[in-house]
Amino acid sequence: MILQDSVLKLKNMISESRNIVFFGGAGVSTESGIKDFRSADGIYMMDYKFPPESVLSHTFFKKHTEEFFDFYRKYLCFPDAKPNMAHIKLAELENQGKLKAVITQNVDGLHQLAGSNTVYELHGSALRNYCTKCGKFYDFDFVYKSNGVPKCECGGIVKPDVVLYEEGLDNDTVENAVNAIANADMLIVAGTSLTVYPAAGFIRYFSGDKLVLINKDSTAMDEKFGLVIHGKIGEVLKETV
């Protein structure tokens, strides 16, 4: 049960703020039926023939491309997922002029589907796919509905625009995210274990005094936050926005 005094405190902090930034991880989308990675029933806990973290690496993509796409379609593609209350309330907060940016580690595009406009996707998007040979763009359905390795008309492999292990983050996206956090008067961090770097290190750029964590489970960094709420993100934001 979410403590009402914590909800009231968060509501007051939001009311007092004019430049809020939201930093979210996989836990933001679990209420939309999308598995996270590190919880007890997350993707990394599955009994798969290859370690999931290895499958989601650039090396595996290059060496075992067909196996990569089998895993990718099954566990990282969610054609029927809809925005949950967290996505909806964040879009409302942006519409009110208070939320200036959403920084997400997710690749599902649900923030934009809910109506958010300023979204920095640190790990890319499953909705964008490009030929590794000629650069031609392909949509989600092309890759999701393909059999085996999706191929461009030029013969090149069509790769999802998602950042795999061993790949670097997009420089412009990182710069925009860091600037947004540095200029924020309130930072809400939610649905993340804060163990994946460099993304988890972004919170160090925040210099304000309203630092909030909303997460189902405790993290090793809980003590760094002024307010910690353990609960479902959608439920918390529904009560406070």
Side-chain angles (χ1 to χ4, degrees):
M1 182 176 177
I2 301 167
L3 297 176
Q4 287 305 308
D5 58 341
S6 295
V7 169
L8 181 60
K9 186 174 182 180
L10 177 58
K11 191 171 186 176
N12 289 336
M13 292 169 74
I14 291 173
S15 177
E16 295 166 358
S17 302
R18 296 291 177 268
N19 191 335
I20 303 170
V21 170
F22 180 88
F23 180 98
V28 177
S29 292
T30 54
E31 291 168 65
S32 294
I34 297 176
K35 281 184 175 292
D36 63 11
F37 291 89
R38 290 174 172 78
S39 66
D41 60 347
I43 290 174
Y44 289 164
M45 302 299 142
M46 295 184 315
D47 184 18
Y48 193 70
K49 53 187 171 182
F50 300 102
E53 286 186 280
S54 297
V55 177
L56 297 176
S57 69
H58 182 80
T59 297
F60 193 94
F61 171 79
K62 296 290 287 185
K63 291 184 175 180
H64 309 280
T65 311
E66 189 161 350
E67 289 280 3
F68 168 86
F69 278 104
D70 287 344
F71 183 92
Y72 176 79
R73 290 188 188 97
K74 187 172 183 179
Y75 297 110
L76 271 79
C77 292
F78 302 93
D80 301 319
K82 300 291 189 294
N84 62 53
M85 191 55 66
H87 301 106
I88 292 167
K89 287 299 178 180
L90 289 169
E92 288 181 11
L93 204 55
E94 180 182 342
N95 193 48
Q96 293 171 16
K98 284 182 169 289
L99 184 70
K100 302 304 181 183
V102 169
I103 301 166
T104 180
Q105 294 172 277
N106 299 335
V107 299
D108 51 44
L110 293 181
H111 284 293
Q112 292 93 327
L113 192 58
S116 290
N117 294 302
T118 304
V119 182
Y120 301 125
E121 298 172 309
L122 295 179
H123 296 156
S125 174
L127 307 186
R128 300 187 299 267
N129 303 273
Y130 297 96
C131 174
T132 55
K133 186 176 180 181
C134 73
K136 182 178 178 178
F137 171 84
Y138 287 89
D139 64 12
F140 173 86
D141 282 346
F142 180 84
V143 170
Y144 182 67
K145 294 180 179 179
S146 295
N147 293 316
V149 178
K151 292 290 186 68
C152 176
E153 57 191 20
C154 77
I157 296 171
V158 177
K159 180 183 179 293
D161 186 23
V162 299
V163 180
L164 303 175
Y165 289 108
E166 304 167 347
E167 295 179 344
L169 304 184
D170 177 75
N171 288 334
D172 289 340
T173 303
V174 169
E175 184 176 349
N176 287 331
V178 167
N179 286 338
I181 291 173
N183 291 315
D185 60 7
M186 180 176 182
L187 178 61
I188 303 173
V189 179
T192 173
S193 61
L194 293 170
T195 58
V196 179
Y197 286 82
F202 282 22
I203 63 171
R204 73 179 185 272
Y205 294 101
F206 179 68
S207 58
D209 57 2
K210 298 185 184 73
L211 183 58
V212 178
L213 176 66
I214 309 170
N215 209 44
K216 182 177 67 174
D217 302 313
S218 299
T219 76
M221 296 178 69
D222 279 17
E223 72 280 356
K224 295 183 180 294
F225 291 81
L227 176 63
V228 177
I229 300 177
H230 291 141
K232 291 184 177 180
I233 302 159
E235 290 181 3
V236 174
L237 294 181
K238 183 179 180 180
E239 292 290 322
T240 54
V241 176

